[in-house]
Amino acid sequence: LITAVICSEPFQKLGKAQSKVFGTPDLPLIMIPHPLGGLSIEMVGARAEVAIPQILAVIREQLK
């Protein structure tokens, strides 16, 4: 099972803290620029372009 969380930059510390609280301190965080809500589809696409290489890196790492 490959798992990660997509998180915008202001929530990075919270994401790391919550992963520790829930017993998954090594849970990968995929970081995207903030905000996500209220964006045009083009801007959401730009966030996805930031996330995709990170997602692929997580998949490659977890398949080793």
Side-chain angles (χ1 to χ4, degrees):
L1 179 64
I2 298 173
T3 306
V5 172
I6 297 175
C7 183
S8 64
E9 293 164 349
F11 298 101
Q12 183 175 12
K13 286 183 182 178
L14 178 60
K16 289 181 181 287
Q18 289 297 302
S19 69
K20 289 176 186 174
V21 166
F22 289 106
T24 55
D26 297 326
L27 181 69
L29 295 180
I30 307 298
M31 300 306 302
I32 62 170
H34 191 77
L36 184 57
L39 298 179
S40 68
I41 193 68
E42 292 82 13
M43 293 178 82
V44 171
R47 300 302 194 274
E49 288 180 17
V50 170
I52 289 170
Q54 296 176 72
I55 293 167
L56 292 173
V58 167
I59 292 169
R60 286 185 193 108
E61 181 63 30
Q62 292 190 18
L63 288 177
K64 286 183 179 179

